[in-house]
Amino acid sequence: MGSTPALLAPMGDLLKRLGCRVEVAPVRFGVDCGEATAHAVGNALSELVETASAPAIVIGHSRGGQFARAVATRQPEQVRGLITLGSPLTRMLAVHPLLLAHLFALGALGAVGTPGLLRPSCRWGACCAPLRADLTGPFPGAVPFLSVYSAADRVVDWRSSLDPAARHREIVTSHGGLIWDPASLTVVVEELAVLLGPDAEAPAGRGSCRVARSRCSRRSAC
């Protein structure tokens, strides 16, 4: 929510240097209707998978992880692995009271017809009922799922990141740091190496990433 290309750049640049083909999902700053955004993410995933002729690894930060979990649940054959970073998964609104106040303000604007904004029905109404169900419902066992969180997160309650369907990895950083802190980037690289297995050393441009554990240490800037 509220992420910009500049905020996402450290993660994207790292993945590109590792030989990954990176596509940013069209979440429109993450403030639109949840179900509509999940559909947009699902369509973008389908287009990427069709172009690459291979399933994708999906990485979602904060509210983006909610969309990512829903899409992985709906399109498991297109997802090689899911990584969420500081995402409120077990409780949709497990966020700091100040952010909650902003959400209610955005919802009020959306309720009176302001385009591109979420609405109160996204939390309680029928429009986003499928998204809420996919957030708390069963997750496909064939899709590896890692939830990364920080107990120092002051935006999202870290306990809501403990999805029972996921493996959990704790690091020490801020909420925003989960997309740029070297500790977080290291965890992402390590998970990519596990997910890609033998393909991790394959040449770029064949639907895989060149990822080696030795290329990134916890003390480096990756």
Side-chain angles (χ1 to χ4, degrees), residues 60-66 69 82-95 135 145-171 173-175 178:
H61 174 250
S62 197
R63 195 186 187 207
Q66 296 181 346
R69 191 197 196 278
L82 171 63
I83 305 171
T84 59
L85 306 169
S87 297
L89 300 170
T90 61
R91 289 184 292 135
M92 183 177 282
L93 294 180
V95 299
L135 268 179
F145 179 9
L146 176 67
S147 175
V148 184
Y149 68 94
S150 172
D153 192 329
R154 295 294 178 262
V155 176
V156 167
D157 184 346
W158 63 271
R159 300 169 189 83
S160 68
S161 297
L162 303 181
D163 191 311
R167 290 171 290 116
H168 307 136
R169 183 77 176 269
E170 180 180 6
I171 62 172
T173 189
S174 64
H175 184 68
L178 284 158

mmCIF file of all heavy atoms in Angstrom, residues 60-66 69 82-95 135 145-171 173-175 178:
data_model
loop_
_atom_site.group_PDB
_atom_site.id
_atom_site.type_symbol
_atom_site.label_atom_id
_atom_site.label_comp_id
_atom_site.label_asym_id
_atom_site.label_seq_id
_atom_site.Cartn_x
_atom_site.Cartn_y
_atom_site.Cartn_z
ATOM 1 N N GLY A 60 5.395 -10.661 -2.521
ATOM 2 C CA GLY A 60 4.459 -9.607 -2.165
ATOM 3 C C GLY A 60 4.818 -8.961 -0.850
ATOM 4 O O GLY A 60 5.113 -9.649 0.132
ATOM 5 N N HIS A 61 4.807 -7.636 -0.803
ATOM 6 C CA HIS A 61 5.103 -6.891 0.429
ATOM 7 C C HIS A 61 3.831 -6.276 0.971
ATOM 8 O O HIS A 61 3.036 -5.696 0.225
ATOM 9 C CB HIS A 61 6.131 -5.790 0.147
ATOM 10 C CG HIS A 61 6.388 -4.875 1.308
ATOM 11 N ND1 HIS A 61 5.976 -3.557 1.325
ATOM 12 C CD2 HIS A 61 6.996 -5.088 2.503
ATOM 13 C CE1 HIS A 61 6.341 -2.997 2.459
ATOM 14 N NE2 HIS A 61 6.957 -3.899 3.200
ATOM 15 N N SER A 62 3.622 -6.401 2.284
ATOM 16 C CA SER A 62 2.508 -5.774 2.974
ATOM 17 C C SER A 62 1.178 -6.184 2.334
ATOM 18 O O SER A 62 0.904 -7.375 2.177
ATOM 19 C CB SER A 62 2.695 -4.249 2.975
ATOM 20 O OG SER A 62 1.872 -3.633 3.936
ATOM 21 N N ARG A 63 0.333 -5.249 1.926
ATOM 22 C CA ARG A 63 -0.942 -5.630 1.321
ATOM 23 C C ARG A 63 -0.733 -6.419 0.037
ATOM 24 O O ARG A 63 -1.571 -7.235 -0.340
ATOM 25 C CB ARG A 63 -1.793 -4.377 1.032
ATOM 26 C CG ARG A 63 -3.257 -4.716 0.738
ATOM 27 C CD ARG A 63 -4.067 -3.519 0.321
ATOM 28 N NE ARG A 63 -5.481 -3.877 0.219
ATOM 29 C CZ ARG A 63 -6.361 -3.259 -0.573
ATOM 30 N NH1 ARG A 63 -5.969 -2.235 -1.327
ATOM 31 N NH2 ARG A 63 -7.619 -3.647 -0.613
ATOM 32 N N GLY A 64 0.395 -6.192 -0.627
ATOM 33 C CA GLY A 64 0.687 -6.959 -1.829
ATOM 34 C C GLY A 64 0.744 -8.447 -1.562
ATOM 35 O O GLY A 64 0.430 -9.264 -2.433
ATOM 36 N N GLY A 65 1.162 -8.823 -0.330
ATOM 37 C CA GLY A 65 1.172 -10.232 0.019
ATOM 38 C C GLY A 65 -0.217 -10.827 0.109
ATOM 39 O O GLY A 65 -0.409 -12.028 -0.139
ATOM 40 N N GLN A 66 -1.211 -10.004 0.457
ATOM 41 C CA GLN A 66 -2.591 -10.486 0.469
ATOM 42 C C GLN A 66 -3.042 -10.842 -0.947
ATOM 43 O O GLN A 66 -3.625 -11.906 -1.178
ATOM 44 C CB GLN A 66 -3.518 -9.419 1.063
ATOM 45 C CG GLN A 66 -3.236 -9.102 2.521
ATOM 46 C CD GLN A 66 -4.190 -8.060 3.089
ATOM 47 O OE1 GLN A 66 -4.910 -7.379 2.339
ATOM 48 N NE2 GLN A 66 -4.211 -7.920 4.406
ATOM 49 N N ARG A 69 -1.148 -14.075 -2.033
ATOM 50 C CA ARG A 69 -1.664 -15.328 -1.480
ATOM 51 C C ARG A 69 -2.950 -15.741 -2.182
ATOM 52 O O ARG A 69 -3.165 -16.918 -2.484
ATOM 53 C CB ARG A 69 -1.925 -15.189 0.026
ATOM 54 C CG ARG A 69 -2.220 -16.541 0.699
ATOM 55 C CD ARG A 69 -2.874 -16.378 2.060
ATOM 56 N NE ARG A 69 -2.833 -17.582 2.873
ATOM 57 C CZ ARG A 69 -3.690 -18.597 2.757
ATOM 58 N NH1 ARG A 69 -4.642 -18.578 1.828
ATOM 59 N NH2 ARG A 69 -3.586 -19.664 3.558
ATOM 60 N N LEU A 82 5.853 -18.760 -3.378
ATOM 61 C CA LEU A 82 5.316 -17.495 -2.889
ATOM 62 C C LEU A 82 6.152 -17.025 -1.712
ATOM 63 O O LEU A 82 6.448 -17.793 -0.790
ATOM 64 C CB LEU A 82 3.854 -17.682 -2.451
ATOM 65 C CG LEU A 82 3.210 -16.506 -1.706
ATOM 66 C CD1 LEU A 82 3.138 -15.268 -2.596
ATOM 67 C CD2 LEU A 82 1.811 -16.894 -1.218
ATOM 68 N N ILE A 83 6.548 -15.744 -1.751
ATOM 69 C CA ILE A 83 7.268 -15.111 -0.652
ATOM 70 C C ILE A 83 6.500 -13.853 -0.258
ATOM 71 O O ILE A 83 6.287 -12.970 -1.097
ATOM 72 C CB ILE A 83 8.704 -14.725 -1.050
ATOM 73 C CG1 ILE A 83 9.475 -15.938 -1.588
ATOM 74 C CG2 ILE A 83 9.440 -14.108 0.138
ATOM 75 C CD1 ILE A 83 10.831 -15.575 -2.200
ATOM 76 N N THR A 84 6.070 -13.774 0.991
ATOM 77 C CA THR A 84 5.416 -12.559 1.469
ATOM 78 C C THR A 84 6.324 -11.875 2.491
ATOM 79 O O THR A 84 7.027 -12.535 3.261
ATOM 80 C CB THR A 84 4.045 -12.860 2.097
ATOM 81 O OG1 THR A 84 4.197 -13.775 3.191
ATOM 82 C CG2 THR A 84 3.104 -13.459 1.066
ATOM 83 N N LEU A 85 6.287 -10.552 2.501
ATOM 84 C CA LEU A 85 7.163 -9.747 3.346
ATOM 85 C C LEU A 85 6.318 -8.798 4.194
ATOM 86 O O LEU A 85 5.747 -7.833 3.674
ATOM 87 C CB LEU A 85 8.145 -8.949 2.484
ATOM 88 C CG LEU A 85 8.975 -9.756 1.479
ATOM 89 C CD1 LEU A 85 9.698 -8.808 0.509
ATOM 90 C CD2 LEU A 85 9.977 -10.642 2.201
ATOM 91 N N GLY A 86 6.203 -9.081 5.479
ATOM 92 C CA GLY A 86 5.445 -8.199 6.364
ATOM 93 C C GLY A 86 3.990 -8.062 5.971
ATOM 94 O O GLY A 86 3.429 -6.966 6.079
ATOM 95 N N SER A 87 3.372 -9.150 5.559
ATOM 96 C CA SER A 87 1.985 -9.096 5.087
ATOM 97 C C SER A 87 1.001 -9.516 6.174
ATOM 98 O O SER A 87 1.197 -10.546 6.822
ATOM 99 C CB SER A 87 1.805 -10.019 3.878
ATOM 100 O OG SER A 87 2.587 -9.598 2.790
ATOM 101 N N PRO A 88 -0.081 -8.743 6.372
ATOM 102 C CA PRO A 88 -1.127 -9.155 7.308
ATOM 103 C C PRO A 88 -2.007 -10.214 6.650
ATOM 104 O O PRO A 88 -2.900 -9.902 5.872
ATOM 105 C CB PRO A 88 -1.894 -7.850 7.569
ATOM 106 C CG PRO A 88 -1.680 -7.033 6.330
ATOM 107 C CD PRO A 88 -0.331 -7.419 5.790
ATOM 108 N N LEU A 89 -1.755 -11.462 6.954
ATOM 109 C CA LEU A 89 -2.405 -12.573 6.259
ATOM 110 C C LEU A 89 -3.565 -13.173 7.043
ATOM 111 O O LEU A 89 -4.606 -13.495 6.465
ATOM 112 C CB LEU A 89 -1.367 -13.652 5.942
ATOM 113 C CG LEU A 89 -0.202 -13.193 5.048
ATOM 114 C CD1 LEU A 89 0.881 -14.265 5.000
ATOM 115 C CD2 LEU A 89 -0.695 -12.857 3.649
ATOM 116 N N THR A 90 -3.398 -13.344 8.322
ATOM 117 C CA THR A 90 -4.457 -13.969 9.111
ATOM 118 C C THR A 90 -5.520 -12.974 9.553
ATOM 119 O O THR A 90 -6.630 -13.363 9.907
ATOM 120 C CB THR A 90 -3.878 -14.671 10.356
ATOM 121 O OG1 THR A 90 -3.231 -13.694 11.184
ATOM 122 C CG2 THR A 90 -2.857 -15.721 9.948
ATOM 123 N N ARG A 91 -5.176 -11.671 9.544
ATOM 124 C CA ARG A 91 -6.139 -10.615 9.857
ATOM 125 C C ARG A 91 -5.910 -9.479 8.863
ATOM 126 O O ARG A 91 -4.851 -8.852 8.856
ATOM 127 C CB ARG A 91 -5.968 -10.109 11.285
ATOM 128 C CG ARG A 91 -6.409 -11.096 12.357
ATOM 129 C CD ARG A 91 -6.298 -10.489 13.748
ATOM 130 N NE ARG A 91 -4.920 -10.261 14.133
ATOM 131 C CZ ARG A 91 -4.469 -9.156 14.707
ATOM 132 N NH1 ARG A 91 -5.285 -8.129 14.923
ATOM 133 N NH2 ARG A 91 -3.202 -9.042 15.055
ATOM 134 N N MET A 92 -6.897 -9.208 8.058
ATOM 135 C CA MET A 92 -6.744 -8.269 6.957
ATOM 136 C C MET A 92 -6.357 -6.870 7.420
ATOM 137 O O MET A 92 -5.593 -6.162 6.760
ATOM 138 C CB MET A 92 -8.036 -8.199 6.134
ATOM 139 C CG MET A 92 -7.960 -7.293 4.925
ATOM 140 S SD MET A 92 -9.472 -7.310 3.931
ATOM 141 C CE MET A 92 -9.280 -8.856 3.048
ATOM 142 N N LEU A 93 -6.862 -6.441 8.585
ATOM 143 C CA LEU A 93 -6.635 -5.074 9.061
ATOM 144 C C LEU A 93 -5.753 -5.047 10.302
ATOM 145 O O LEU A 93 -5.914 -4.185 11.178
ATOM 146 C CB LEU A 93 -7.965 -4.382 9.344
ATOM 147 C CG LEU A 93 -8.850 -4.130 8.126
ATOM 148 C CD1 LEU A 93 -10.146 -3.449 8.543
ATOM 149 C CD2 LEU A 93 -8.134 -3.295 7.072
ATOM 150 N N ALA A 94 -4.804 -5.962 10.376
ATOM 151 C CA ALA A 94 -3.888 -6.001 11.521
ATOM 152 C C ALA A 94 -2.766 -4.989 11.316
ATOM 153 O O ALA A 94 -1.606 -5.329 11.106
ATOM 154 C CB ALA A 94 -3.322 -7.404 11.699
ATOM 155 N N VAL A 95 -3.130 -3.698 11.361
ATOM 156 C CA VAL A 95 -2.178 -2.626 11.087
ATOM 157 C C VAL A 95 -2.226 -1.590 12.194
ATOM 158 O O VAL A 95 -3.135 -1.570 13.035
ATOM 159 C CB VAL A 95 -2.471 -1.966 9.720
ATOM 160 C CG1 VAL A 95 -2.335 -2.981 8.604
ATOM 161 C CG2 VAL A 95 -3.863 -1.332 9.693
ATOM 162 N N LEU A 135 -7.764 -15.521 1.653
ATOM 163 C CA LEU A 135 -6.736 -15.137 2.613
ATOM 164 C C LEU A 135 -6.703 -16.081 3.814
ATOM 165 O O LEU A 135 -5.638 -16.376 4.353
ATOM 166 C CB LEU A 135 -6.970 -13.714 3.103
ATOM 167 C CG LEU A 135 -6.281 -12.594 2.344
ATOM 168 C CD1 LEU A 135 -6.648 -11.244 2.941
ATOM 169 C CD2 LEU A 135 -4.783 -12.774 2.348
ATOM 170 N N PHE A 145 5.640 -21.812 0.293
ATOM 171 C CA PHE A 145 5.142 -20.530 0.794
ATOM 172 C C PHE A 145 5.994 -20.117 1.992
ATOM 173 O O PHE A 145 6.035 -20.805 3.005
ATOM 174 C CB PHE A 145 3.671 -20.703 1.174
ATOM 175 C CG PHE A 145 2.974 -19.489 1.747
ATOM 176 C CD1 PHE A 145 3.572 -18.227 1.761
ATOM 177 C CD2 PHE A 145 1.695 -19.604 2.257
ATOM 178 C CE1 PHE A 145 2.918 -17.122 2.273
ATOM 179 C CE2 PHE A 145 1.025 -18.497 2.790
ATOM 180 C CZ PHE A 145 1.636 -17.264 2.798
ATOM 181 N N LEU A 146 6.685 -18.975 1.862
ATOM 182 C CA LEU A 146 7.500 -18.428 2.934
ATOM 183 C C LEU A 146 6.958 -17.066 3.334
ATOM 184 O O LEU A 146 6.793 -16.184 2.490
ATOM 185 C CB LEU A 146 8.959 -18.283 2.496
ATOM 186 C CG LEU A 146 9.901 -17.624 3.510
ATOM 187 C CD1 LEU A 146 10.072 -18.509 4.744
ATOM 188 C CD2 LEU A 146 11.257 -17.311 2.877
ATOM 189 N N SER A 147 6.692 -16.881 4.630
ATOM 190 C CA SER A 147 6.259 -15.589 5.149
ATOM 191 C C SER A 147 7.387 -15.012 5.992
ATOM 192 O O SER A 147 7.785 -15.585 7.001
ATOM 193 C CB SER A 147 4.989 -15.750 6.006
ATOM 194 O OG SER A 147 4.631 -14.519 6.607
ATOM 195 N N VAL A 148 7.904 -13.856 5.570
ATOM 196 C CA VAL A 148 8.990 -13.175 6.270
ATOM 197 C C VAL A 148 8.379 -12.024 7.069
ATOM 198 O O VAL A 148 7.538 -11.279 6.550
ATOM 199 C CB VAL A 148 10.042 -12.628 5.281
ATOM 200 C CG1 VAL A 148 11.217 -12.008 6.031
ATOM 201 C CG2 VAL A 148 10.519 -13.741 4.354
ATOM 202 N N TYR A 149 8.793 -11.884 8.322
ATOM 203 C CA TYR A 149 8.207 -10.844 9.166
ATOM 204 C C TYR A 149 9.266 -10.292 10.113
ATOM 205 O O TYR A 149 10.361 -10.856 10.256
ATOM 206 C CB TYR A 149 7.033 -11.402 9.973
ATOM 207 C CG TYR A 149 7.457 -12.403 11.030
ATOM 208 C CD1 TYR A 149 7.700 -12.003 12.340
ATOM 209 C CD2 TYR A 149 7.638 -13.745 10.714
ATOM 210 C CE1 TYR A 149 8.111 -12.911 13.305
ATOM 211 C CE2 TYR A 149 8.038 -14.664 11.665
ATOM 212 C CZ TYR A 149 8.271 -14.244 12.965
ATOM 213 O OH TYR A 149 8.688 -15.138 13.912
ATOM 214 N N SER A 150 8.927 -9.190 10.750
ATOM 215 C CA SER A 150 9.804 -8.577 11.747
ATOM 216 C C SER A 150 8.979 -8.182 12.960
ATOM 217 O O SER A 150 7.964 -7.484 12.829
ATOM 218 C CB SER A 150 10.506 -7.348 11.180
ATOM 219 O OG SER A 150 11.202 -6.648 12.202
ATOM 220 N N ALA A 151 9.408 -8.623 14.131
ATOM 221 C CA ALA A 151 8.718 -8.219 15.356
ATOM 222 C C ALA A 151 8.903 -6.731 15.639
ATOM 223 O O ALA A 151 8.192 -6.162 16.463
ATOM 224 C CB ALA A 151 9.223 -9.050 16.533
ATOM 225 N N ALA A 152 9.861 -6.098 14.941
ATOM 226 C CA ALA A 152 10.079 -4.657 15.076
ATOM 227 C C ALA A 152 9.190 -3.848 14.129
ATOM 228 O O ALA A 152 9.263 -2.620 14.106
ATOM 229 C CB ALA A 152 11.545 -4.323 14.811
ATOM 230 N N ASP A 153 8.366 -4.533 13.348
ATOM 231 C CA ASP A 153 7.455 -3.878 12.412
ATOM 232 C C ASP A 153 6.445 -3.044 13.194
ATOM 233 O O ASP A 153 5.734 -3.560 14.049
ATOM 234 C CB ASP A 153 6.736 -4.953 11.587
ATOM 235 C CG ASP A 153 5.988 -4.389 10.394
ATOM 236 O OD1 ASP A 153 5.512 -3.249 10.470
ATOM 237 O OD2 ASP A 153 5.868 -5.115 9.382
ATOM 238 N N ARG A 154 6.385 -1.749 12.900
ATOM 239 C CA ARG A 154 5.460 -0.853 13.597
ATOM 240 C C ARG A 154 4.252 -0.499 12.736
ATOM 241 O O ARG A 154 3.435 0.345 13.130
ATOM 242 C CB ARG A 154 6.194 0.429 14.024
ATOM 243 C CG ARG A 154 7.288 0.179 15.066
ATOM 244 C CD ARG A 154 6.708 -0.304 16.381
ATOM 245 N NE ARG A 154 7.742 -0.584 17.363
ATOM 246 C CZ ARG A 154 8.222 -1.787 17.618
ATOM 247 N NH1 ARG A 154 7.760 -2.844 16.943
ATOM 248 N NH2 ARG A 154 9.165 -1.972 18.529
ATOM 249 N N VAL A 155 4.143 -1.109 11.577
ATOM 250 C CA VAL A 155 3.007 -0.841 10.697
ATOM 251 C C VAL A 155 2.027 -2.010 10.700
ATOM 252 O O VAL A 155 0.816 -1.829 10.852
ATOM 253 C CB VAL A 155 3.492 -0.547 9.258
ATOM 254 C CG1 VAL A 155 2.299 -0.376 8.318
ATOM 255 C CG2 VAL A 155 4.355 0.702 9.237
ATOM 256 N N VAL A 156 2.550 -3.214 10.529
ATOM 257 C CA VAL A 156 1.727 -4.421 10.519
ATOM 258 C C VAL A 156 2.045 -5.248 11.761
ATOM 259 O O VAL A 156 3.212 -5.408 12.131
ATOM 260 C CB VAL A 156 2.000 -5.248 9.240
ATOM 261 C CG1 VAL A 156 1.397 -6.644 9.344
ATOM 262 C CG2 VAL A 156 1.440 -4.524 8.022
ATOM 263 N N ASP A 157 1.023 -5.758 12.409
ATOM 264 C CA ASP A 157 1.213 -6.652 13.554
ATOM 265 C C ASP A 157 1.857 -7.937 13.048
ATOM 266 O O ASP A 157 1.251 -8.679 12.275
ATOM 267 C CB ASP A 157 -0.140 -6.944 14.204
ATOM 268 C CG ASP A 157 -0.019 -7.801 15.460
ATOM 269 O OD1 ASP A 157 1.059 -8.397 15.691
ATOM 270 O OD2 ASP A 157 -1.015 -7.890 16.196
ATOM 271 N N TRP A 158 3.088 -8.202 13.480
ATOM 272 C CA TRP A 158 3.834 -9.329 12.952
ATOM 273 C C TRP A 158 3.117 -10.662 13.165
ATOM 274 O O TRP A 158 3.304 -11.600 12.378
ATOM 275 C CB TRP A 158 5.227 -9.382 13.583
ATOM 276 C CG TRP A 158 5.247 -9.595 15.071
ATOM 277 C CD1 TRP A 158 5.216 -8.643 16.035
ATOM 278 C CD2 TRP A 158 5.283 -10.847 15.752
ATOM 279 N NE1 TRP A 158 5.247 -9.209 17.285
ATOM 280 C CE2 TRP A 158 5.288 -10.569 17.148
ATOM 281 C CE3 TRP A 158 5.325 -12.173 15.335
ATOM 282 C CZ2 TRP A 158 5.317 -11.570 18.109
ATOM 283 C CZ3 TRP A 158 5.358 -13.169 16.299
ATOM 284 C CH2 TRP A 158 5.359 -12.870 17.663
ATOM 285 N N ARG A 159 2.295 -10.754 14.166
ATOM 286 C CA ARG A 159 1.583 -12.003 14.433
ATOM 287 C C ARG A 159 0.647 -12.377 13.293
ATOM 288 O O ARG A 159 0.375 -13.556 13.060
ATOM 289 C CB ARG A 159 0.802 -11.908 15.750
ATOM 290 C CG ARG A 159 1.679 -11.631 16.972
ATOM 291 C CD ARG A 159 0.844 -11.277 18.183
ATOM 292 N NE ARG A 159 1.666 -10.815 19.300
ATOM 293 C CZ ARG A 159 2.105 -9.586 19.454
ATOM 294 N NH1 ARG A 159 1.824 -8.662 18.525
ATOM 295 N NH2 ARG A 159 2.843 -9.251 20.487
ATOM 296 N N SER A 160 0.147 -11.360 12.581
ATOM 297 C CA SER A 160 -0.756 -11.631 11.466
ATOM 298 C C SER A 160 -0.015 -12.191 10.255
ATOM 299 O O SER A 160 -0.643 -12.619 9.290
ATOM 300 C CB SER A 160 -1.508 -10.351 11.073
ATOM 301 O OG SER A 160 -0.625 -9.385 10.515
ATOM 302 N N SER A 161 1.316 -12.178 10.288
ATOM 303 C CA SER A 161 2.106 -12.758 9.201
ATOM 304 C C SER A 161 2.341 -14.256 9.396
ATOM 305 O O SER A 161 2.886 -14.917 8.508
ATOM 306 C CB SER A 161 3.466 -12.056 9.094
ATOM 307 O OG SER A 161 3.312 -10.687 8.776
ATOM 308 N N LEU A 162 1.923 -14.782 10.545
ATOM 309 C CA LEU A 162 2.174 -16.192 10.857
ATOM 310 C C LEU A 162 1.078 -17.079 10.264
ATOM 311 O O LEU A 162 0.342 -17.770 10.966
ATOM 312 C CB LEU A 162 2.276 -16.383 12.368
ATOM 313 C CG LEU A 162 3.343 -15.542 13.068
ATOM 314 C CD1 LEU A 162 3.369 -15.847 14.556
ATOM 315 C CD2 LEU A 162 4.722 -15.791 12.447
ATOM 316 N N ASP A 163 0.982 -17.045 8.964
ATOM 317 C CA ASP A 163 0.006 -17.874 8.245
ATOM 318 C C ASP A 163 0.311 -19.345 8.525
ATOM 319 O O ASP A 163 1.435 -19.804 8.333
ATOM 320 C CB ASP A 163 0.118 -17.582 6.740
ATOM 321 C CG ASP A 163 -1.016 -18.176 5.934
ATOM 322 O OD1 ASP A 163 -1.317 -19.378 6.124
ATOM 323 O OD2 ASP A 163 -1.590 -17.461 5.099
ATOM 324 N N PRO A 164 -0.671 -20.123 8.970
ATOM 325 C CA PRO A 164 -0.406 -21.531 9.277
ATOM 326 C C PRO A 164 -0.007 -22.362 8.061
ATOM 327 O O PRO A 164 0.574 -23.444 8.223
ATOM 328 C CB PRO A 164 -1.736 -22.025 9.870
ATOM 329 C CG PRO A 164 -2.765 -21.044 9.415
ATOM 330 C CD PRO A 164 -2.050 -19.730 9.298
ATOM 331 N N ALA A 165 -0.272 -21.856 6.863
ATOM 332 C CA ALA A 165 0.095 -22.591 5.657
ATOM 333 C C ALA A 165 1.528 -22.313 5.217
ATOM 334 O O ALA A 165 2.032 -22.960 4.301
ATOM 335 C CB ALA A 165 -0.864 -22.244 4.517
ATOM 336 N N ALA A 166 2.188 -21.344 5.857
ATOM 337 C CA ALA A 166 3.509 -20.901 5.418
ATOM 338 C C ALA A 166 4.602 -21.375 6.362
ATOM 339 O O ALA A 166 4.367 -21.706 7.523
ATOM 340 C CB ALA A 166 3.548 -19.377 5.320
ATOM 341 N N ARG A 167 5.832 -21.372 5.833
ATOM 342 C CA ARG A 167 7.015 -21.416 6.682
ATOM 343 C C ARG A 167 7.316 -19.974 7.101
ATOM 344 O O ARG A 167 7.035 -19.054 6.342
ATOM 345 C CB ARG A 167 8.211 -21.999 5.921
ATOM 346 C CG ARG A 167 8.079 -23.481 5.623
ATOM 347 C CD ARG A 167 9.165 -23.968 4.684
ATOM 348 N NE ARG A 167 8.963 -23.436 3.342
ATOM 349 C CZ ARG A 167 9.788 -22.615 2.727
ATOM 350 N NH1 ARG A 167 10.891 -22.193 3.342
ATOM 351 N NH2 ARG A 167 9.537 -22.186 1.508
ATOM 352 N N HIS A 168 7.853 -19.789 8.285
ATOM 353 C CA HIS A 168 8.051 -18.441 8.822
ATOM 354 C C HIS A 168 9.525 -18.151 9.010
ATOM 355 O O HIS A 168 10.299 -19.007 9.411
ATOM 356 C CB HIS A 168 7.308 -18.298 10.149
ATOM 357 C CG HIS A 168 5.875 -18.675 10.084
ATOM 358 N ND1 HIS A 168 5.262 -19.443 11.045
ATOM 359 C CD2 HIS A 168 4.935 -18.413 9.137
ATOM 360 C CE1 HIS A 168 4.000 -19.629 10.712
ATOM 361 N NE2 HIS A 168 3.769 -19.019 9.555
ATOM 362 N N ARG A 169 9.900 -16.906 8.689
ATOM 363 C CA ARG A 169 11.290 -16.476 8.858
ATOM 364 C C ARG A 169 11.287 -15.074 9.457
ATOM 365 O O ARG A 169 10.728 -14.143 8.867
ATOM 366 C CB ARG A 169 11.994 -16.486 7.500
ATOM 367 C CG ARG A 169 13.472 -16.131 7.548
ATOM 368 C CD ARG A 169 14.333 -17.272 8.056
ATOM 369 N NE ARG A 169 15.743 -16.906 7.990
ATOM 370 C CZ ARG A 169 16.523 -17.162 6.930
ATOM 371 N NH1 ARG A 169 16.046 -17.784 5.879
ATOM 372 N NH2 ARG A 169 17.805 -16.810 6.965
ATOM 373 N N GLU A 170 11.885 -14.932 10.611
ATOM 374 C CA GLU A 170 11.927 -13.630 11.266
ATOM 375 C C GLU A 170 13.264 -12.940 11.015
ATOM 376 O O GLU A 170 14.322 -13.569 11.074
ATOM 377 C CB GLU A 170 11.723 -13.774 12.776
ATOM 378 C CG GLU A 170 11.749 -12.431 13.504
ATOM 379 C CD GLU A 170 11.540 -12.553 14.995
ATOM 380 O OE1 GLU A 170 11.477 -13.714 15.489
ATOM 381 O OE2 GLU A 170 11.433 -11.516 15.666
ATOM 382 N N ILE A 171 13.200 -11.645 10.725
ATOM 383 C CA ILE A 171 14.392 -10.813 10.641
ATOM 384 C C ILE A 171 14.131 -9.571 11.486
ATOM 385 O O ILE A 171 13.008 -9.359 11.956
ATOM 386 C CB ILE A 171 14.743 -10.410 9.194
ATOM 387 C CG1 ILE A 171 13.620 -9.563 8.573
ATOM 388 C CG2 ILE A 171 15.026 -11.640 8.346
ATOM 389 C CD1 ILE A 171 13.989 -8.983 7.228
ATOM 390 N N THR A 173 14.027 -5.692 11.247
ATOM 391 C CA THR A 173 14.033 -4.512 10.386
ATOM 392 C C THR A 173 12.689 -3.812 10.526
ATOM 393 O O THR A 173 11.796 -4.280 11.246
ATOM 394 C CB THR A 173 14.296 -4.894 8.917
ATOM 395 O OG1 THR A 173 14.508 -3.692 8.146
ATOM 396 C CG2 THR A 173 13.132 -5.655 8.310
ATOM 397 N N SER A 174 12.526 -2.694 9.842
ATOM 398 C CA SER A 174 11.261 -1.972 9.855
ATOM 399 C C SER A 174 10.320 -2.564 8.806
ATOM 400 O O SER A 174 10.697 -3.445 8.024
ATOM 401 C CB SER A 174 11.508 -0.494 9.539
ATOM 402 O OG SER A 174 12.027 -0.369 8.213
ATOM 403 N N HIS A 175 9.095 -2.045 8.773
ATOM 404 C CA HIS A 175 8.141 -2.530 7.768
ATOM 405 C C HIS A 175 8.654 -2.223 6.358
ATOM 406 O O HIS A 175 8.675 -3.097 5.496
ATOM 407 C CB HIS A 175 6.774 -1.870 7.987
ATOM 408 C CG HIS A 175 5.706 -2.372 7.078
ATOM 409 N ND1 HIS A 175 5.198 -3.656 7.157
ATOM 410 C CD2 HIS A 175 5.055 -1.770 6.042
ATOM 411 C CE1 HIS A 175 4.270 -3.822 6.231
ATOM 412 N NE2 HIS A 175 4.163 -2.692 5.537
ATOM 413 N N LEU A 178 11.645 -4.281 4.932
ATOM 414 C CA LEU A 178 11.435 -5.622 4.408
ATOM 415 C C LEU A 178 11.592 -5.692 2.885
ATOM 416 O O LEU A 178 11.733 -6.787 2.329
ATOM 417 C CB LEU A 178 10.046 -6.130 4.817
ATOM 418 C CG LEU A 178 9.950 -6.568 6.285
ATOM 419 C CD1 LEU A 178 8.508 -6.537 6.770
ATOM 420 C CD2 LEU A 178 10.543 -7.960 6.453
#
